[in-house]
Amino acid sequence: MTKIIRTVKEWKQLRKSKGLVEKRIGFVPTMGALHKGHASLIKKCVSENDVSVVSIFVNPTQFNQTEDFERYPKTLEDDLKLLEKLKVDFLFFPDYEEIYKDNFRYRIFENELSKILCGAFRLGHFEGVLTVVFKLLNIIQPDRAYFGEKDYQQYKLIEGMCKAFFFDVEIIPLSTVREADGLAMSSRNILLAKEERIYAANFPRLLMSEKSTEEIEKELNSLGFKVDYITELNGRRFGAVHIGNVRLIDNVKL
Ligand code: PAF
């Protein structure tokens, strides 16, 4: 049975209790709407640790538009079934008040990597991500935390934050899980209409191709995508595009 914990106080008491204090704790932070990408992180977490914790918290401070936040898929019943099936020990499921008692007065900034790629298009996004992950890691106190490489920039920023602030946690990245047609698994995929979903596969196809970034961008534009960026950095190719009002990101190793 996955035990649901809603308050910081309850988890902190448990974390210090005899049953958990000596245990190796693995943690997968999520915003819910769990898919096969999350499942791969959770399976790894369950297999590598004595105790597994998944959090579901749709973090409002990392969304640029309230509309996007409100539209973010919420599938709690299915999520719970998956957590039970994967034998997750604890679900940390706090509400806004619990996490943001300070009303976001205190924040974590990063000054370089967070300003480029997605950071250049989603102002304040990584400030919200880093702040909430800082809080979650501080609450859960895991030995290991797992992040998907689909959000590579996020993973690198979190890894850097943990080093900068001397967190005692190992940050473990896992490869992107893809649909049969190559589209990276994402909670946002279910927001795509049927036609859009079919056409979305052009994005990973072109990203993985031998073409130059300029050629890829041109082709995506001519196919009707709105391209935020296609950029190569440190041996990876990164991209972000819009299909209608759904924003998709992806990256591949070159
Ligand atoms: O990748 C996500 O789902 C979120 O950005 C995270 C890491 C759970 C923080 O809200």
Side-chain angles (χ1 to χ4, degrees), residues 29-32 38 55 57-59 62 72 125 128-129 132-133 136 147 151 154 158:
T30 82
M31 298 205 295
H38 293 116
S55 63
F57 178 67
V58 187
N59 174 35
Q62 70 188 76
Y72 199 82
H125 168 66
V129 170
V132 81
V133 173
L136 290 169
F147 294 88
D151 299 293
Q154 164 177 287
I158 291 169

Side-chain angles (χ1 to χ4, degrees), residues 165-184:
F165 292 105
F166 308 102
F167 272 87
D168 247 342
V169 61
E170 197 184 334
I171 300 297
I172 301 180
L174 260 78
S175 319
T176 304
V177 180
R178 297 180 181 278
E179 302 276 3
D181 64 1
L183 186 67

Side-chain angles (χ1 to χ4, degrees), residues 8 12 24 26 71 88 99 141 146-147 159 215 230 254:
V8 175
K12 285 204 166 184
R24 189 167 282 276
R71 270 185 340 122
V88 170
I99 294 295
Q141 303 273 327
Y146 299 79
F147 294 88
E159 185 189 56
E215 285 168 325
I230 302 291
L254 290 170

Side-chain angles (χ1 to χ4, degrees), residues 15-195:
R15 184 70 179 94
K16 280 190 226 138
S17 70
K18 255 191 168 173
L20 289 198
V21 77
E22 300 274 302
K23 295 273 161 66
R24 189 167 282 276
I25 301 209
F27 177 46
V28 183
T30 82
M31 298 205 295
L34 303 179
H35 50 68
K36 287 184 187 142
H38 293 116
S40 91
L41 300 176
I42 295 170
K43 280 182 196 160
K44 185 99 173 133
C45 171
V46 170
S47 73
E48 286 186 345
N49 300 281
D50 303 320
V51 174
S52 52
V53 184
V54 171
S55 63
I56 295 183
F57 178 67
V58 187
N59 174 35
T61 67
Q62 70 188 76
F63 287 85
N64 303 87
Q65 285 139 353
T66 21
E67 208 186 293
D68 192 26
F69 168 63
E70 277 153 15
R71 270 185 340 122
Y72 199 82
K74 288 159 195 90
T75 57
L76 187 61
E77 233 176 87
D78 291 343
D79 291 352
L80 266 171
K81 279 188 200 145
L82 182 73
L83 298 182
E84 294 278 354
K85 190 175 142 209
L86 297 179
K87 302 199 176 351
V88 170
D89 298 302
F90 295 98
L91 166 63
F92 183 56
F93 186 53
D95 64 12
Y96 178 84
E97 288 306 315
E98 197 61 23
I99 294 295
Y100 287 106
K101 288 197 200 302
D102 64 321
N103 219 357
F104 201 34
R105 277 199 304 129
Y106 291 87
R107 303 178 185 201
I108 302 293
F109 286 99
E110 191 275 352
N111 254 335
E112 286 176 20
L113 179 57
S114 69
K115 306 288 180 205
I116 59 171
L117 303 172
C118 281
F121 291 85
R122 302 186 68 190
L123 299 184
H125 168 66
F126 288 117
E127 198 177 306
V129 170
L130 291 178
T131 303
V132 81
V133 173
F134 189 101
K135 287 176 186 253
L136 290 169
L137 291 175
N138 219 5
I139 296 164
I140 304 297
Q141 303 273 327
D143 295 284
R144 299 191 179 106
Y146 299 79
F147 294 88
E149 283 190 349
K150 197 209 84 188
D151 299 293
Y152 197 84
Q153 187 178 11
Q154 164 177 287
Y155 144 62
K156 277 296 186 194
L157 281 163
I158 291 169
E159 185 189 56
M161 174 184 80
C162 289
K163 279 196 189 131
F165 292 105
F166 308 102
F167 272 87
D168 247 342
V169 61
E170 197 184 334
I171 300 297
I172 301 180
L174 260 78
S175 319
T176 304
V177 180
R178 297 180 181 278
E179 302 276 3
D181 64 1
L183 186 67
M185 298 273 177
S186 162
S187 304
R188 290 171 198 267
N189 293 355
I190 54 176
L191 299 174
L192 293 168
K194 207 172 164 202
E195 297 290 294

Side-chain angles (χ1 to χ4, degrees), residues 177-235:
V177 180
R178 297 180 181 278
E179 302 276 3
D181 64 1
L183 186 67
M185 298 273 177
S186 162
S187 304
R188 290 171 198 267
N189 293 355
I190 54 176
L191 299 174
L192 293 168
K194 207 172 164 202
E195 297 290 294
E196 292 175 333
R197 171 61 195 83
I198 294 167
Y199 147 96
N202 286 298
F203 176 40
R205 178 180 63 76
L206 285 163
L207 209 61
M208 288 174 202
S209 71
E210 298 288 300
K211 299 178 190 222
S212 69
T213 53
E214 292 75 18
E215 285 168 325
I216 296 171
E217 185 156 351
K218 212 168 143 198
E219 208 167 312
L220 285 166
N221 277 321
S222 69
L223 283 167
F225 288 87
K226 184 182 160 287
V227 180
D228 275 354
Y229 64 86
I230 302 291
T231 308
E232 289 177 1
L233 184 75
N234 299 335

